[in-house]
Structures are given as structure tokens and as C-alpha cells.
Amino acid sequence: MDDKILNLKQKLKNELDGIQSLVDLDKVRVAYLGKKGSVTDLLKGMKELTNEERKEFGKKVNELKQNVAKSIEDKTAELKELEIKAEIEAMPQFDITTPADLTRGSYHPITLVQRQCETIFKSMGFTVEDYAEVVTDYECFESVNIPKHHPARDMQDTYYLENGQLLKSQTSAAQNAILRKYGKNLKENGVPIKAIFPGRCFRNEATDATHENTFFQMEGVMVDKDISISNLIYFMKTMLSEVFRKDIKVRLRPGFFPFVEPGFELDINCLICGGEGCPSCGHGGWLELCPCGMIHPEVLREGGIDPEEYTGFAFGLGLTRLAMMKYGIKDIRDLNSGSLKALSQFTDDE
Ligand code: FA5
């Protein structure tokens, strides 16, 4: 019997020496320690032994079992280490003496302009609000006085989702929520509503140098007693002179939006061509930048605010177009191009 044990030990050693993979090693484990394995097999011969011999032999088989398990364990560790070494060797080699590339990322021009606008409006007491991109028909249209089938909907070719919601086509979609959020403080404590809400908008547009299907707007509202067009013009002027820090020509002309009355279009003289006319301004010399107006009484009422007592203004600044004018970007499509060469050259001038 002792010979059998010795033979098994020697056999196992030889086999382990030749093993190269963990899969093969597991086969050896089963062959020795499994239910029908060689070590378990040794116990079958015990019937012929005397009690005393059986005790002695049982002890030896147990020792052998532990021995085999330990050898397999050691071999497993050895193979795992070899595997890791092979993985490391297969990895691409780095030359640690190469100087580091310290080029830093940069903010997208729209982010830069948005942050500038936020800083300007915050300094004038406005809060900055965030709003969803997927909204309901009520939020985007009905709450701002554009009922179903109103022709003004044709101006915004909207992406509807199968569940009836839609991708926000204008930041005005947040107006009702803002009026409701701050209306209580206005009515109970006399604190004016002053908020801006930048956001991404989506329209099914035929794209050109000034139109994208995905673009940014920044909405702003102010509601209090006795708010008038003069307040609106003051805030628009302040914002533009802070953003551009130079004299720019703007013009205000009548514009129709169902949620303002009266409504205006605020255009900026094209800074790419100086007003001569070019593809960046649709050859008109002026670029529609920031429609605005006095909030329609229906919109105030729908937001829970009494239009007999309060008035307010709203504007919808085209942030993407503002970035174009501020940084001299001729084609709006460059802004969504993802081209680092085109987009990484702008910095914050604050
Ligand atoms: C609106 O979206 C109104 N909600 C704005 C408004 C708010 C009016 C509050 C009155 C009071 P309009 O569709 O004109 O209006 O878009 C506003 C601005 O967003 C435009 O002047 C333009 O600067 C920008 N804009 C509109 N469509 C696009 C587009 N496809 N690509 C890039 N910019 C666009």
C-alpha cells in the first residue's frame, strides 16, 4: 500500500511539471481528488486490512490528500502569476521618458457664452434654472397660449415621441413651471420673478449656415408690478454690451409669438460681414437673435398669476447664434461638428 502512495506522489509530480494551463490543472485535480479520483480509489483496498493497518493507512491517505491539494494549490498560484506576466508582456509598451502631452481640454463655445450670460444675469438678480429636454405638449405649447392646431405650431417642426411627449422645440416650454415655482413668493412676499433658463432645443430643420436641428436657447422672464418694455430693453442692452464688450448695432422690430403681446424680434447686425450680407446672416445683414415681448395675460393666468395685478417680459435668446457672432463662427454647423480643431480655439475672456 505504501508503494501505491509513493507511486501516486511521483506520478502527480511528473504530471504537474508538464501542466501549462489552469484548465489542464483542473483536470488533474479531478483525476486525483474527484469522487472517482486516484486518491479516493486507494481507500477501496482498505477492506483487506486489519483494524490496526486500516487506521494507519487511513492516516497516510489523508496526508496524501492534503499533500495533493497543496501541490495543486501551489501550481494554480504559479500558473496565475505566469498568466498575469504574459498579459503584461502583451500590453503596448510605453516609453516613460517621452515628455507628457499637457494639452488641456477646452470648453465648447456655446458653454462659454452660456456661462457668460449666466454670470451677467445672476449679477442682476436672476436665478438660473434647469429644465427637461423631453416635455409634454402642454408645457411646450398649450401653457404658452398655443392650443392644438394653432398655426404658430407650424413655425416649429417638432419631434414628437410615440408616448405623446416631444423634444422641447423652445425654452418657452419651461415658462409655466417657472411662473408656478416662484409665483407664490411674488404674491405673498412681493419678490419679483427673475429667472433665466438655458436649454437645448430640437426642430426638424433643413440645416444651413444659421439653422441647426439641435441648438441652444436661453429663455428669460421677469414678472412684477409695473414691468414695462423699458425694463425689457434695459436688460437686453446690458446683456449684449457685456457679452460683446464693444458697440454693436441691434434693431427691434415687431414680431408675432402667441405668448407675448406686444412681441418683438431683436436682430443683431451681422458681425461676420459687418452688415453687408453673407451666408452667415442669410445675406440680409441682420441675424435674428433674441425674440422677446411682454408676457401675454393668458400665459400669466395659466401660470397662476393675475394679469390685472402683475406684468412681465420674456425673451428667447438664440445662444448658438450668439456664440457664432461672439466668436466669428461663420457656419452654425461647425458648432455641432465635434471637430476639436474648430472648437478648441476659443477661450473665456472673463
Ligand atoms: C422662439 O423659440 C420663442 N420661444 C422665443 C421667445 C421667447 C419669444 C419668449 C418671445 C418671448 P424663435 O423660433 O424665433 O422663437 O427662436 C428664438 C431664437 O432661437 C431665434 O431668434 C434664433 O436665434 C434661435 N433659433 C431658432 N431656430 C433656430 C435654429 N434652427 N438653429 C439655430 N438657432 C435657432
Side-chain angles (χ1 to χ4, degrees):
M1 283 294 197
D2 282 356
D3 287 351
K4 276 190 178 176
I5 290 179
L6 275 178
N7 284 344
L8 258 185
K9 274 189 181 170
Q10 190 55 45
K11 193 170 162 252
L12 175 71
K13 188 177 175 316
N14 292 344
E15 281 184 33
L16 288 184
D17 284 348
I19 294 270
Q20 306 277 357
S21 78
L22 288 165
V23 177
D24 289 345
L25 182 61
D26 199 53
K27 284 182 192 154
V28 171
R29 186 187 59 76
V30 174
Y32 281 80
L33 300 176
K35 267 189 195 159
K36 294 178 188 164
S38 330
V39 177
T40 325
D41 245 17
L42 283 176
L43 299 171
K44 287 180 188 159
M46 281 174 67
K47 277 181 270 169
E48 293 117 49
L49 301 176
T50 63
N51 271 354
E52 200 52 37
E53 284 170 333
R54 205 178 291 156
K55 217 169 152 191
E56 187 64 16
F57 185 69
K59 205 172 146 203
K60 284 183 179 164
V61 173
N62 252 340
E63 277 168 16
L64 172 70
K65 221 173 170 177
Q66 283 167 14
N67 225 298
V68 171
K70 173 85 172 63
S71 303
I72 292 176
E73 210 176 278
D74 290 348
K75 187 73 187 180
T76 308
E78 184 191 317
L79 287 178
K80 280 192 175 161
E81 204 175 311
L82 283 175
E83 248 181 30
I84 292 170
K85 270 193 189 150
E87 269 177 33
I88 292 173
E89 270 162 29
M91 278 164 77
Q93 299 300 305
F94 299 104
D95 178 358
I96 55 164
T97 60
T98 309
D101 177 2
L102 294 177
T103 322
R104 296 180 65 187
S106 59
Y107 286 112
H108 193 281
I110 297 176
T111 307
L112 291 174
V113 171
Q114 179 180 326
R115 289 190 174 181
Q116 283 162 16
C117 290
E118 287 178 8
T119 307
I120 296 164
F121 277 100
K122 272 200 251 177
S123 75
M124 297 190 286
F126 284 71
T127 59
V128 181
E129 307 289 327
D130 198 12
Y131 209 69
E133 290 182 342
V134 176
V135 296
T136 58
D137 192 274
Y138 174 79
E139 288 166 289
C140 200
F141 298 121
E142 285 164 62
S143 71
V144 287
N145 205 25
I146 310 180
K148 288 207 161 59
H149 312 299
H150 191 289
R153 289 192 181 214
D154 295 348
M155 310 288 286
Q156 301 180 11
D157 195 350
T158 307
Y159 294 109
Y160 284 88
L161 308 181
E162 277 170 7
N163 66 4
Q165 289 187 302
L166 52 98
L167 298 185
K168 175 172 75 182
S169 60
Q170 54 178 355
T171 42
S172 304
Q175 273 197 25
N176 184 266
I178 303 293
L179 296 183
R180 293 199 169 274
K181 180 173 174 188
Y182 293 108
K184 193 165 178 266
N185 209 11
L186 169 71
K187 289 178 276 186
E188 290 177 7
N189 305 318
V191 179
I193 301 177
K194 288 167 95 177
I196 53 165
F197 25 110
R200 190 157 49 161
C201 303
F202 308 86
R203 292 182 196 174
N204 182 26
E205 297 271 12
T207 57
D208 59 26
T210 55
H211 291 87
E212 255 293 9
N213 49 30
T214 305
F215 57 96
F216 285 80
Q217 287 185 345
M218 194 184 78
E219 193 94 353
V221 292
M222 178 170 183
V223 182
D224 198 358
K225 291 194 169 152
D226 303 325
I227 295 293
S228 70
I229 296 172
S230 316
N231 299 103
L232 169 63
I233 292 172
Y234 168 79
F235 283 107
M236 295 292 93
K237 268 191 177 168
T238 310
M239 184 261 299
L240 291 172
S241 66
E242 290 275 326
V243 168
F244 288 101
R245 304 229 161 126
K246 62 176 180 187
D247 274 344
I248 44 148
K249 273 200 236 166
V250 292
R251 73 176 184 194
L252 203 61
R253 58 193 169 91
F256 172 72
F257 302 92
F259 33 91
V260 283
E261 180 55 41
F264 307 99
E265 286 282 4
L266 188 143
D267 303 333
I268 179 172
N269 197 238
C270 180
L271 295 172
I272 308 281
C273 63
E276 302 254 301
C278 68
S280 308
C281 55
H283 302 281
W286 295 89
L287 199 64
E288 277 178 21
L289 184 68
C290 186
C292 50
M294 299 305 293
I295 304 179
H296 196 286
E298 278 308 319
V299 176
L300 286 176
R301 201 170 286 126
E302 193 64 27
I305 290 165
D306 182 0
E308 299 295 325
E309 205 175 336
Y310 299 99
T311 49
F313 66 74
F315 61 86
L317 173 69
L319 261 189
T320 309
R321 288 197 188 160
L322 187 63
M324 281 176 77
M325 289 296 111
K326 161 116 188 172
Y327 293 111
I329 298 165
K330 292 186 180 149
D331 196 313
I332 197 169
R333 289 165 291 197
D334 286 344
L335 287 161
N336 283 356
S337 68
S339 154
L340 289 183
K341 200 171 161 213
L343 297 172
S344 62
Q345 48 186 317
F346 308 103
T347 50
D348 199 345
D349 60 4
E350 291 309 298

